[in-house]
Amino acid sequence: MSLTGIPFLCTLAVLTAVALVLPLVLWTRVGGPRAVRAGARVLMLLFAQVTAVALVFTLVNNSNQLYDSWADLLGTGDHVREAADLGSDGTGGIVVERLPKVGQRFRPAGGPGMREAGGVRVTRLDGRVSGVRAEVYVWLPPQYDDPAWRDHTFPVVELLPGYPGSAKAWFGTLDAHEQLLPLMRSGRIAPFILVAPRTSLLPGADTGCANLPGRVNAESWLSVDVPRMVRDNFRAQAAPEGWAVAGYSAGGHCATKLALAHPDRYRAAVSLSGYNDPAAERTALTGRDPVLREANNPLTLLREAVAPPEISLYLSGQRKDGYEDATALARAATSPTSVQVVRLPRSAGGHTMALWRPQVVPAFRWLTEELGAEPTPSAATPPGPRSAAATPGAPASGSAGPAAGSGTR
């Protein structure tokens, strides 16, 4: 049975109920020597505790989309076919634009929330550059199949989960597509294609979204293979103008790092409670080696860039949970890099989905403005030419204004 499926959850619920009833019925009826009676009663108690813990874990896992499968939970899943040394740009000398177009087969995705708001589709992608083979989830905006928009290309946002975390969490727990659908229909937010690729690629370890020759090419998977697949199969805008990446927790760290490392592939990034130092995630492979730790720190990437990258960052967090790292990036940024920092109050909650869910809409309002993807008064009317300028979005509700610092707005 699937780890996140209804049959498994129902089975656990039934077993938990049986485990509670057994001691009530059999406690005084157990026969045999004293040691046998004691052993049987201990087993009944253990059975009750194990089933109760398993049921609670399953409910929490289904709610937060931490582990998507038994392989993810047990640390036996490996989605890397090969991990060649692809060089500093992550392409291994391959001219990605010259690769032949490959059509993907998509099917409706299963799981909580995946059939809401028009439905999420999924495909299994063989990364031609990265050597990664994993699933990618795609949600199309309501305008995509409208005949009035048939010649229109759409901006794209890659969505990255935390660690551990399922690629489906943006849809199944944060309800991003359900929150954004009515706003896209009414023209208050631009119609974005949402793409959520798997980021848990190695058993029991966070890749840090980095290329580690011989281990994994996660950076190329996310910034080369996945975007190429999207452009091959959907009417997506060209990079970098029409592309952004967003994530929470470890995914926020990755989003910031990918945008800073590849301003030729992304124009904007959103980080919700992200961090700069890869060692903040204890299982991160990039946090175990001093050289990798520094090379994959977004603050280092920004400070050591040959020229300030032309990107915009939206960084939110609470004190001691992302806010200080965000303000450090804001202080280091100079034009044309722009950074919007949003401080969230402690009353908004801790490092959980409940904190990040209300930030989805403010972040996408900001993305609408930063990418110049102007929303339209009517979902049936395609937009006009792309605006030449964009203005910063408003901070999330209940947050402080942008942090002071060079390049902050």
Side-chain angles (χ1 to χ4, degrees):
M1 288 183 283
S2 168
L3 175 64
T4 58
I6 297 298
F8 180 65
L9 180 62
C10 291
T11 300
L12 279 180
V14 170
L15 289 176
T16 301
V18 170
L20 291 174
V21 171
L22 278 179
L24 298 175
V25 175
L26 301 178
W27 193 266
T28 59
R29 298 184 181 182
V30 177
R34 183 174 181 178
V36 172
R37 295 198 306 271
R41 289 165 180 168
V42 168
L43 288 175
M44 285 190 285
L45 293 176
L46 288 176
F47 180 48
Q49 291 185 10
V50 169
T51 54
V53 169
L55 178 61
V56 171
F57 167 80
T58 302
L59 289 170
V60 171
N61 183 62
N62 288 359
S63 175
N64 293 278
Q65 302 277 310
L66 299 175
Y67 300 98
D68 197 29
S69 66
W70 290 106
D72 289 342
L73 175 63
L74 300 176
T76 59
D78 191 336
H79 298 268
V80 179
R81 292 183 289 104
E82 59 179 337
D85 188 342
L86 299 178
S88 58
D89 70 346
T91 64
I94 298 172
V95 181
V96 180
E97 293 74 15
R98 295 181 183 176
L99 290 174
K101 182 176 179 180
V102 174
Q104 289 289 129
R105 283 190 174 185
F106 287 83
R107 57 180 174 81
M114 301 301 279
R115 297 189 179 181
E116 305 299 327
V120 179
R121 60 193 70 191
V122 62
T123 189
R124 188 83 168 177
L125 175 63
D126 282 304
R128 290 180 284 176
V129 175
S130 67
V132 170
R133 185 174 190 266
E135 65 270 20
V136 182
Y137 298 87
V138 177
W139 180 81
L140 299 176
Q143 293 88 341
Y144 192 87
D145 292 322
D146 190 321
W149 292 68
R150 63 180 177 274
D151 298 322
H152 182 71
T153 56
F154 293 82
V156 181
V157 183
E158 279 189 68
L159 305 174
L160 310 180
Y163 182 86
S166 166
K168 298 193 290 187
W170 275 89
F171 305 111
T173 306
L174 294 186
D175 305 323
H177 57 327
E178 294 184 65
Q179 292 191 63
L180 296 174
L181 177 65
L183 299 174
M184 290 182 183
R185 278 179 172 163
S186 64
R188 285 175 285 175
I189 285 179
F192 290 96
I193 296 174
L194 306 184
V195 180
R198 168 180 276 274
T199 56
S200 296
L201 304 175
L202 293 175
D206 173 22
T207 66
C209 301
N211 279 3
L212 306 173
R215 295 292 302 275
V216 62
N217 285 320
E219 187 169 332
S220 295
W221 161 250
L222 296 171
S223 67
V224 178
D225 284 330
V226 171
R228 177 56 197 262
M229 181 277 289
V230 173
R231 291 193 295 269
D232 279 355
N233 290 270
F234 302 99
R235 301 196 309 277
Q237 289 184 5
E241 286 76 11
W243 282 74
V245 57
Y248 59 86
S249 190
H253 162 76
C254 287
T256 306
K257 190 194 78 169
L258 289 173
L260 287 168
H262 301 290
D264 58 326
R265 300 172 191 174
Y266 302 100
R267 181 61 71 227
V270 171
S271 173
L272 310 178
S273 303
Y275 49 83
N276 292 332
D277 186 353
E281 169 50 58
R282 63 180 181 82
T283 65
L285 299 177
T286 51
R288 301 176 184 176
D289 178 88
V291 175
L292 288 175
R293 184 175 174 180
E294 198 64 21
N296 288 277
N297 187 318
L299 186 57
T300 301
L301 291 173
L302 183 58
R303 286 173 173 170
E304 297 184 357
V306 176
E310 188 179 347
I311 60 168
S312 299
L313 303 177
Y314 179 100
L315 313 171
S316 73
Q318 297 174 316
R319 292 195 181 279
K320 298 183 180 181
D321 186 21
Y323 177 70
E324 290 79 6
D325 286 17
T327 55
L329 287 168
R331 287 193 295 269
T334 57
S335 182
T337 305
S338 68
V339 181
Q340 168 126 355
V341 177
V342 177
R343 179 170 62 84
L344 301 172
R346 282 295 178 188
S347 59
H351 196 83
T352 66
M353 295 294 191
L355 175 68
W356 302 317
R357 189 180 296 110
Q359 297 182 65
V360 170
V361 170
F364 272 81
R365 285 185 178 134
W366 177 86
L367 283 170
T368 294
E369 296 172 346
E370 288 299 324
L371 293 183
E374 297 296 335
T376 59
S378 170
T381 306
R386 182 183 184 275
S387 171
T391 56
S397 175
S399 64
S406 176
T408 306
R409 57 175 187 167

